[in-house]
Amino acid sequence: MSERLKALADAGVSIWLDDLSRDRLTSNNLADLVANSSVTGVTTNPTIFAGALSKGDAYNAQTAELAARDSTVEDTIKALTTDDVRNACDVLAATSAATNGVDGRVSIEVEPGLARNTEATIAQAQDLWKIVDRPNALIKIPATLEGLPAIAAVTGEGISVNVTLIFSLERYAGVIDAYLTGLEQAAANGHDLSKIHSVASFFVSRVDTEVDKRLAAIGTDEALALKSKAAIANARLAYELFEQTFAGERWAALEAQGANKQRPLWASTGVKDPALPDTLYVSELVVADTVNTMPEKTMQAFADHGEVTGDEVSGKGDEARAVLAAIEALGISFDDVVQVLEDEGVDKFDKSWAELVATVEGALDEAKAKLAGN
């Protein structure tokens, strides 16, 4: 057991692995991380699945079976990815039971091309929930403006949601409102609120990447002194908003009916700038009632030399506001930063999805050629 990761978990941070593949499942690597590295959940996205399916031959047998049944590319992707998520849910079922569903969660994302289409997002979220068919799954829905009503509608049907691609406090407030609206709808629809769970994935490192690029372009000592501070400040203000909202009257009424808080999840916590400490976005965001989803490289780094020195978030709102105000004072529009990041985020997942489609298309063609040769 990694003592450093255990200390992180003991501080109230749920450690989720930001990766999944068939190899992790068949080799029992995921089960080992759950047993020995305090891992209590898994997140996936189109980029992760594109990488998994393009390497090795772990998916070949199933792809051949699907090719023999003349499965479409879309249906093949759905079968391969939902099987991985379902099996990961089973690996984490005991964790889910032990935490009353708070942890033991595995996320699967709606197709990124639907990010600006509310009704199509709702339909695919429902479809994925039925196919995975595990109570400890989470359906990932991007926090675009069109995604907000989808989050409310899907939650209202008793489906647990991981809201992804959150960059701004304004959008985060909208995400929380969508979740609470969904819970109110779920209660009206007769659902047991205690069975509905949600996380709000607030992206971290990408904020610094974009802001630091703009600070470097300004180039003054004042600007350079602010590098690598925006992301943590933004996340700390998100946690402040979480605490405030989930202490109000609206929440109290839902909590009385058994509802669960929508915990903040720190996403994109791998360091992009090699000059920064590789555990920065973990150690600086330690606080209870949060999730940190990490690439395995970041998790291993923390297991080796990460430090937990107590709550690094609560009570730091004024300091965080001062950082963002100083950045704005240099002429950097934070509103523009977060809009660029949202657009880039959707675009990157679109490109990953296209890679995934091309990989599966090639695998199906190869399998069909072998069948024809037989």
Side-chain angles (χ1 to χ4, degrees), residues 159-223:
I159 296 172
S160 294
V161 175
N162 174 345
V163 184
T164 188
L165 283 178
I166 308 172
F167 295 99
S168 74
L169 295 172
E170 180 183 7
R171 186 60 53 81
Y172 181 38
V175 166
I176 297 173
D177 178 70
Y179 176 59
L180 298 180
T181 298
L183 288 176
E184 289 159 353
Q185 291 174 0
N189 292 337
H191 290 288
D192 180 353
L193 299 192
S194 71
K195 304 297 184 186
I196 303 171
H197 291 264
S198 184
V199 292
S201 294
F202 212 86
F203 278 52
V204 185
S205 66
R206 293 188 198 181
V207 173
D208 273 345
T209 300
E210 181 63 26
V211 171
D212 287 0
K213 180 173 67 177
R214 299 183 188 206
L215 290 169
I218 294 170
T220 62
D221 289 346
E222 184 184 12

Side-chain angles (χ1 to χ4, degrees), residues 14 23 25 105 113 158 248 302 305 343 360:
S14 293
D23 283 334
L25 293 161
R105 294 275 161 183
F302 200 90
H305 52 266
D343 293 342
V360 172

Side-chain angles (χ1 to χ4, degrees), residues 73-94:
V73 173
E74 181 186 52
D75 287 344
T76 300
I77 290 172
K78 195 177 291 183
L80 298 175
T81 58
T82 55
D83 278 5
D84 278 1
V85 169
R86 185 183 307 107
N87 290 330
C89 282
D90 290 343
V91 171
L92 285 151

Side-chain angles (χ1 to χ4, degrees), residues 16 18 42-44 105-110 137-143 151 154-155 159-166 175 197-203 262-263 265 267 291 293:
W16 290 7
D18 192 29
V42 171
T43 50
T44 69
R105 294 275 161 183
V106 185
S107 298
I108 184 168
E109 188 159 346
V110 297
L138 286 172
I139 307 302
K140 287 179 84 171
I141 297 176
I151 293 158
V154 170
T155 303
I159 296 172
S160 294
V161 175
N162 174 345
V163 184
T164 188
L165 283 178
I166 308 172
V175 166
H197 291 264
S198 184
V199 292
S201 294
F202 212 86
F203 278 52
Q262 181 189 57
R263 291 184 297 165
L265 179 152
V291 179
T293 183

Side-chain angles (χ1 to χ4, degrees), residues 305-319:
H305 52 266
E307 296 292 339
V308 176
T309 55
D311 184 342
E312 294 290 342
V313 177
S314 300
K316 296 193 175 185
D318 288 344
E319 178 186 330

